[in-house]
Amino acid sequence: MFDWLIVGAGFAGSVLAERIASQRGERVLLIDKRAHIGGNAYDRHDEAGVLIHQYGPHIFHTNSEAIFSYLSKFTRWRPYEHRVLAKVDGMLLPIPINLDTVNKLFGLSLDSEGLAAWFAARAEKREEIKSSEDVVVATVGRELYEKFFKGYTKKQWGVEPSQLDKSVTARVPTRVNRDDRYFTDSHQYMPTDGYTRMFERMLDHPNIKIMLQTDFEEIRNEVDYRRLIYTGPIDEFFEFRFGKLPYRSLQFKHVTLDRPWLQPVAVVNYPQTEAYTRVTEYKHLTGQRHEKTSVTFEYPCDSGDPYYPVPRAENMELYKRYEKLALAQKDVWFVGRLATYRYYNMDQVVGQALASFRRICAEVAPPKNRALASAVAAE
Ligand code: FAD
Ligand code: UDP
């Protein structure tokens, strides 16, 4: 008999397994239908021995000291600031759009003040910023929107930016200075030995049993457990009762090249050309030294593993109907990017999982004989 069955060994499931096992002294069965732990953050050495991310580039960044210090129990970190270039009009230009992007693209020599005025002269007035198109055209105008955002977003999501919530393109800021970092968070790092090693340490506890290549459906009636944490797609849990929630998928093409480097930065985006959205070269992220280099091309598609919830009003309405069912379930917790249909980064999922753990502790008394009362009180 397990105290908890946890479905999904990504960040959401693994953080909760670790907390429940180590702080409440309860027995956890953690399952995943894939052959590995780590969810979409899983990394591995490819045949050439280069550390790659199986499901596309994962860069850790957060402003939360609490989340950073929690994960630091399981890994050392390599400082890494992410920089991305976009191939536009045949040039490699900084994205987020900044002073250098505009000066190089148009052969100008504006300063920050000049660029602010340049944007203001081109920005389109909007009564209300609702869509992913609105956000960009209301800041930098239509020309830069079409060069940097329109094509990429259509490729990535399969719909026009005007059909997507503003939160999608709002992830990428616009700057009038020369800061070319992709993120500005106070903590920006890569786990020194990789994500998978971090997950292994997190789950290395006698109270945690892991079963891989195991779908929830296969065992839901076979295993004895008291409570359930589910981190898979919420619509699947309820057998698509209200219809399918759209999740966008990707095909990854992993290639090893017989040369030391391919591109000047870890990620190059292709908003105007190519069927793929971006190319990632891992050695920039990991700092690994190797005579060869491994890269990944991302091809967005509709069918396949669910990677991205699609932020649009109609999808949120459908999600809300599923969420209502979820809230009515007794002894079941829904956590993570797929189960709560949120376009969350890794740190946000860790934060959500830690918050869920606090809720669990408030709602469910730990078993008397095994409770580590002082540890729980300290949480
Ligand atoms: P997942 O990692 O998806 O884990 C869910 C797990 O549940 C999966 O392993 C799945 O196999 C399993 N599962 C589902 N259904 C079942 C079932 N029925 N039975 C058994 N197992 C099941 N975040 C960042 O912070 N920085 C980045 O740079 C970044 N880059 C990203 C790039 C890409 C291409 C993608 C797709 C995401 C990126 N993210 C990034 C987001 C990050 O991947 C997620 O925030 C995080 O991995 C979500 O963790 P999770 O546990 O909620 O979900
Ligand atoms: N985006 C774009 N052009 C770019 C980079 C991003 O149009 O060069 C848009 C696109 O819609 C993308 C969104 O901004 O899906 C968020 O970008 P981010 O890099 O955060 O995407 P993720 O890493 O989550 O795939």
Side-chain angles (χ1 to χ4, degrees):
M1 164 68 120
F2 289 95
D3 298 303
W4 295 84
L5 172 63
I6 302 186
V7 179
F11 270 102
S14 298
V15 166
L16 278 157
E18 186 281 325
R19 289 287 84 186
I20 288 169
S22 71
Q23 304 299 296
R24 292 172 59 92
E26 292 175 295
R27 291 195 64 219
V28 176
L29 174 61
L30 175 65
I31 67 162
D32 203 296
K33 62 182 176 191
R34 290 172 170 165
H36 57 73
I37 56 172
N40 287 339
Y42 171 69
D43 54 14
R44 64 174 172 88
H45 288 91
D46 64 12
E47 276 174 25
V50 180
L51 184 62
I52 67 161
H53 297 182
Q54 176 90 7
Y55 305 100
H58 279 72
I59 296 102
F60 183 76
H61 56 102
T62 191
N63 282 316
S64 163
E65 185 56 43
I67 290 167
F68 180 67
S69 88
Y70 170 72
L71 290 178
S72 301
K73 294 177 202 265
F74 313 106
T75 187
R76 290 177 298 125
W77 300 98
R78 165 180 198 262
Y80 168 75
E81 287 185 331
H82 194 43
R83 286 181 170 78
V84 179
L85 296 171
K87 183 106 187 239
V88 169
D89 293 355
M91 287 176 263
L92 287 177
L93 301 168
I95 177 90
I97 292 171
N98 70 8
L99 189 57
D100 289 323
T101 313
V102 174
N103 280 339
K104 282 187 186 154
L105 182 60
F106 297 107
L108 300 172
S109 46
L110 299 169
D111 59 10
S112 292
E113 221 174 288
L115 180 58
W118 193 93
F119 283 151
R122 285 158 182 80
E124 288 183 14
K125 290 248 168 337
R126 286 280 193 276
E127 285 288 300
E128 198 188 347
I129 307 284
K130 282 171 90 171
S131 76
S132 268
E133 176 179 320
D134 296 338
V135 175
V136 185
V137 296
T139 314
V140 299
R142 191 151 292 273
E143 188 174 6
L144 288 176
Y145 160 74
E146 288 187 348
K147 287 184 191 296
F148 286 85
F149 286 89
K150 191 174 175 11
Y152 188 105
T153 302
K154 245 191 116 174
K155 228 182 325 187
Q156 170 71 14
W157 299 95
V159 294
E160 291 289 339
S162 59
Q163 302 305 304
L164 274 177
D165 190 79
K166 63 181 176 196
S167 58
V168 176
T169 52
R171 288 167 61 90
V172 183
T174 303
R175 305 199 179 112
V176 293
N177 58 22
R178 302 189 64 196
D179 186 352
D180 61 348
R181 294 171 305 159
Y182 208 68
F183 309 113
T184 51
D185 302 53
S186 52
H187 300 81
Q188 303 187 37
Y189 292 99
M190 297 294 293
T192 307
D193 307 315
Y195 288 97
T196 304
R197 192 72 196 96
M198 178 177 79
F199 278 94
E200 281 167 3
R201 294 194 193 108
M202 197 182 277
L203 297 174
D204 181 16
H205 193 284
N207 287 345
I208 302 175
K209 178 163 172 51
I210 301 172
M211 272 170 74
L212 299 174
Q213 294 179 292
T214 304
D215 196 301
F216 179 45
E217 268 316 308
E218 291 171 54
I219 58 144
R220 83 191 284 176
N221 300 317
E222 307 295 324
V223 174
D224 220 358
Y225 58 90
R226 284 201 180 86
R227 297 187 177 84
L228 175 68
I229 292 168
Y230 181 83
T231 75
I234 189 168
D235 55 343
E236 191 177 313
F237 183 90
F238 293 108
E239 289 156 348
F240 309 104
R241 195 176 305 178
F242 303 133
K244 264 182 92 68
L245 264 173
Y247 294 90
R248 191 72 170 155
S249 191
L250 292 169
Q251 295 282 340
F252 299 97
K253 188 171 145 205
H254 302 295
V255 181
T256 301
L257 304 169
D258 208 356
R259 54 193 277 186
W261 294 103
L262 174 69
Q263 56 192 36
V265 289
V267 171
V268 175
N269 287 355
Y270 290 83
Q272 292 176 320
T273 55
E274 319 304 340
Y276 44 83
T277 47
R278 61 185 174 190
V279 180
T280 300
E281 184 169 29
Y282 294 100
K283 289 198 303 179
H284 291 289
L285 301 177
T286 58
Q288 186 182 0
R289 288 168 190 219
H290 199 289
E291 62 200 4
K292 296 187 181 181
T293 192
S294 293
V295 298
T296 297
F297 298 77
E298 289 173 56
Y299 296 85
C301 51
D302 269 336
S303 57
D305 279 0
Y307 292 118
Y308 292 86
V310 184
R312 300 178 70 169
E314 65 202 65
N315 299 347
M316 284 318 291
E317 269 170 40
L318 182 54
Y319 165 67
K320 289 281 167 203
R321 295 181 69 195
Y322 281 115
E323 188 191 33
K324 221 169 162 186
L325 291 182
L327 291 170
Q329 295 279 312
K330 200 172 164 318
D331 292 334
V332 186
W333 280 260
F334 292 79
V335 190
R337 176 150 145 149
L338 303 172
T340 61
Y341 205 68
R342 285 186 174 88
Y343 187 179
Y344 269 174
N345 294 325
M346 296 182 280
D347 65 318
Q348 294 171 298
V349 171
V350 172
Q352 192 192 41
L354 293 174
S356 300
F357 179 68
R358 286 192 291 273
R359 243 182 45 230
I360 285 169
C361 290
E363 289 172 20
V364 183
K368 281 202 185 69
N369 52 343
R370 281 172 283 154
L372 308 177
S374 58
V376 174
E379 269 305 295

